[in-house]
Amino acid sequence: MTTISTLTESLGGSGGGLQAVLLDMDGTLVDTEDFWWQAEASLFAEFGHALDEADRAHVVGGPMTRVIDYLLARTSVPLSPAELTVLINQRFVDLLAGGVPLMPGAERLLNTLAAHGIPAALVSASHRHVIDIVLRSLGAHHFAFTVAGDEVPRTKPHPEPYLAAAARLGADPARCVVIEDAPTGVRAAEAAGCPVIAVPSVAAIEPAPGRTVLGSLEEVDLELLHALTAARV
């Protein structure tokens, strides 16, 4: 496992400001947002409710508790939150069985971080069993560790997942670049005090102070990562 001490040493002591990169999973590194939407839309169609693109914009990025609350209020299906959570998760897991496609630039970025000794952590609102399935395609070896939505008391958009990841690395949140695809995750990262790269997947994200919006992970390079944290030092 790469540590902050080895990172600092490899980058000449100061680390250029950059201590780690914290990455979202669904829609950021792997193209699973369509899988979540298929699971939700197909399930509600069976109950006679046609979800539309406006609904999709509301549910993208999780967390599951917020998604469930929204969908139940929107449709009034005769299910409890716990029952609906189980049904959506099972349908999603079934869709994952054939493997998960990586987003353009994801593998190159993860390999670049590893080659330069920059720690990477996966911070997702998805539950542990889902992350473990996706890691079969994504590669667990790319990450110092992973944080699941059901492993923290408060998940995104609360900053706790990103604060917990930075603390586990012994890093300053202001020197950890977060890469996200959804407004929920962006809010969590910014509340944690992290510089953010947003690569929107479904919902639009506008540029803002401390936030860089890109069209693809292909545009993320070491120069950009160092520049975002150097401004915080």
Side-chain angles (χ1 to χ4, degrees):
M1 180 186 300
T2 304
T3 64
I4 291 299
S5 60
T6 57
L7 167 64
T8 302
E9 180 181 349
S10 68
L11 293 179
S14 68
L18 179 65
Q19 290 186 321
V21 177
L22 311 178
L23 303 111
D24 175 53
M25 186 178 76
D26 296 295
T28 299
L29 291 175
V30 289
D31 192 6
T32 52
E33 292 296 356
D34 279 346
F35 287 9
W36 281 114
W37 179 241
Q38 288 174 42
E40 293 153 357
S42 64
L43 180 61
F44 278 87
E46 293 174 8
F47 285 95
H49 296 279
L51 301 180
D52 58 26
E53 287 300 314
D55 296 314
R56 186 176 187 180
H58 277 285
V59 301
V60 65
M64 181 60 77
T65 52
R66 179 179 62 79
V67 171
I68 295 300
D69 288 345
Y70 171 81
L71 292 174
L72 287 176
R74 163 79 167 80
T75 63
S76 300
V77 297
L79 295 170
S80 70
E83 290 170 332
L84 182 55
T85 298
V86 169
L87 290 174
I88 290 177
N89 269 295
Q90 185 56 58
R91 192 158 296 199
F92 177 72
V93 168
D94 291 342
L95 290 169
L96 294 180
V100 183
L102 272 59
M103 298 297 286
E107 185 171 10
R108 177 201 60 81
L109 174 59
L110 293 172
N111 287 337
T112 297
L113 295 177
H116 289 81
I118 300 171
L122 186 69
V123 182
S124 175
S126 289
H127 287 190
R128 170 53 56 193
H129 73 282
V130 171
I131 290 177
D132 288 344
I133 293 171
V134 173
L135 284 175
R136 298 172 193 167
S137 298
L138 188 55
H141 63 283
H142 289 300
F143 307 102
F145 57 85
T146 62
V147 177
D150 57 342
E151 295 174 341
V152 289
R154 294 164 294 188
T155 189
K156 305 172 189 179
H158 196 277
E160 186 163 346
Y162 283 115
L163 291 173
R168 187 167 172 180
L169 286 166
D172 179 355
R175 297 172 68 182
C176 297
V177 176
V178 168
I179 304 180
E180 276 277 358
D181 76 301
T184 300
V186 169
R187 290 198 299 273
E190 291 178 342
C194 303
V196 175
I197 295 175
V199 184
S201 61
V202 177
I205 301 174
E206 296 298 322
R211 179 193 309 168
T212 301
V213 181
L214 302 176
S216 166
L217 292 179
E218 298 280 10
E219 300 175 51
V220 180
D221 57 24
L222 290 178
E223 182 179 2
L224 174 61
L225 294 171
H226 285 297
L228 291 175
T229 52
R232 301 292 186 99
V233 176

